[in-house]
Amino acid sequence: MKRSHIALLIIGVGLLSGLIVFSELNPLKLFEVNVSVQVPSEENVIELKLDVRNSSGSVTYSNVSSLYLDRDVNVMFKLLSAEVNGDVKITLSGQVTLVSDDGIKYVVPMPCLFANNGCFRVLMLIPGYDTPMSLPRGKYSISLTLTWYGASGEGIIKLRVGLVEETVEVVKIGSRPENTTGWVTVEGSTKSYAVLVDPKAVKVGGCLYATHVWVWIFTPSNTTDVKNVKVVVEDLYSGKQLYNADVDLDKSGIYREALMKVILPQGKYILKIFITPETALQTTLSVETC
């Protein structure tokens, strides 16, 4: 897309230069050239124009773009912004189809992508739209279908739909929280080790939310010192492992402990913390809204 816009700009400038030369020579015929230049200010921007003339309809943009991934990623299609000018009502849904070079197809329905006059959709979570969808590394062609109904009035709606990478992240931010009032103790915790979770999640951007998790282990001198724990996050429905890493524990007297920030996109997950390779405490984390 970027190359085609640059080519149009170069051709337009060339035609305008020729026009100036001919006007000085009193030409027999004069061509007036109006050049419309629209170069996206951002990389990887695809501009589509949908002309709605009926109250309902559908249009497909086949192979509108391509996507190259140099690694496995978790992605989601999201409505990033919507701008309405005029008195217009519409319910718009979409469907993205990605086809890999080896022919594997990934279809992501996007019901109620934009609606300012009501919309009903299934309550089940849709991978790639409501929750992250895993895409293996490779090259993909992208097609987009837009379907609408209940359209009325006159105006312009500008939508920005993004294909964004959603990753689960666990960051150690300290040893212990200042206050654990209201925190939930994970089932299976004992007097020797425990995991506590702050049930209040904070939005940190887009559809990403962060909560805090505190793990502590009692390590008196006559026991084996535990210097780290393994943290695993899995998708609740697919069982796919989204995060797996060791987190170092700080020494605090006869305890080892760590305070972590867990960042999650919308969805439901299982958090597992392995105190030892054989002993794990687990709980369910849920981000219901975006």
Side-chain angles (χ1 to χ4, degrees):
M1 294 296 295
K2 189 76 171 182
R3 291 181 180 175
S4 62
H5 282 102
I6 293 175
L8 285 173
L9 177 60
I10 294 174
I11 293 172
V13 172
L15 289 171
L16 287 174
S17 298
L19 176 61
I20 295 173
V21 173
F22 278 119
S23 64
E24 293 178 349
L25 297 177
N26 192 23
L28 298 176
K29 189 176 291 291
L30 182 66
F31 296 92
E32 291 188 358
V33 181
N34 295 316
V35 180
S36 176
V37 179
Q38 290 184 326
V39 180
S41 58
E42 303 175 59
E43 294 290 340
N44 301 320
V45 174
I46 304 165
E47 293 188 0
L48 301 176
K49 293 184 179 180
L50 175 61
D51 189 14
V52 175
R53 298 290 181 179
N54 300 302
S55 61
S56 62
S58 180
V59 63
T60 297
Y61 303 90
S62 299
N63 299 320
V64 70
S65 184
S66 60
L67 173 69
Y68 175 73
L69 301 175
D70 60 0
R71 55 190 170 84
D72 296 353
V73 297
N74 296 312
V75 298
M76 291 177 66
F77 287 90
K78 295 181 179 179
L79 178 64
L80 302 179
S81 65
E83 180 182 333
V84 181
N85 295 311
D87 181 19
V88 57
K89 300 291 185 182
I90 194 171
T91 296
L92 181 70
S93 297
Q95 178 174 288
V96 177
T97 302
L98 301 99
V99 181
S100 65
D101 274 354
D102 52 5
I104 300 177
K105 183 182 294 186
Y106 299 82
V107 179
V108 181
M110 299 186 294
C112 304
L113 180 63
F114 175 82
N116 58 1
N117 63 347
C119 185
F120 299 93
R121 55 156 293 181
V122 295
L123 296 180
M124 64 178 292
L125 297 176
I126 300 173
Y129 186 56
D130 301 313
T131 62
M133 177 182 69
S134 178
L135 279 181
R137 61 177 297 181
K139 186 176 181 181
Y140 300 83
S141 64
I142 302 176
S143 297
L144 172 66
T145 297
L146 295 175
T147 303
W148 68 92
Y149 66 87
S152 64
E154 184 175 344
I156 297 175
I157 302 174
K158 184 177 181 180
L159 307 178
R160 290 173 59 88
V161 180
L163 172 61
V164 297
E165 180 180 0
E166 293 286 14
T167 58
V168 173
E169 188 176 1
V170 178
V171 182
K172 179 184 172 184
I173 59 174
S175 298
R176 64 172 59 184
E178 295 181 0
N179 191 334
T180 58
T181 301
W183 288 40
V184 178
T185 302
V186 174
E187 184 178 354
S189 297
T190 69
K191 294 181 179 180
S192 298
Y193 52 82
V195 174
L196 286 79
V197 178
D198 184 358
K200 299 186 297 294
V202 178
K203 193 169 186 177
V204 293
C207 287
L208 293 176
Y209 286 78
T211 189
H212 294 95
V213 177
W214 178 39
V215 55
W216 61 261
I217 302 175
F218 180 55
T219 56
S221 57
N222 62 340
T223 62
T224 302
D225 191 13
V226 180
K227 296 183 178 181
N228 55 59
V229 293
K230 181 177 291 294
V231 179
V232 175
V233 180
E234 299 175 351
D235 182 84
L236 178 65
Y237 298 106
S238 68
K240 182 176 178 60
Q241 193 172 100
L242 305 175
Y243 185 89
N244 185 332
D246 292 335
V247 175
D248 292 334
L249 301 175
D250 295 331
K251 183 72 172 176
S252 179
I254 56 175
Y255 292 92
R256 286 278 187 178
E257 54 190 352
L259 177 62
M260 297 168 281
K261 177 187 289 186
V262 180
I263 302 173
L264 302 166
Q266 185 179 21
K268 293 188 176 182
Y269 309 89
I270 296 176
L271 171 69
K272 298 179 180 179
I273 296 183
F274 288 82
I275 306 300
T276 68
E278 299 79 24
T279 305
L281 301 181
Q282 71 176 52
T283 187
T284 300
L285 300 178
S286 179
V287 179
E288 299 288 351
T289 59
C290 178

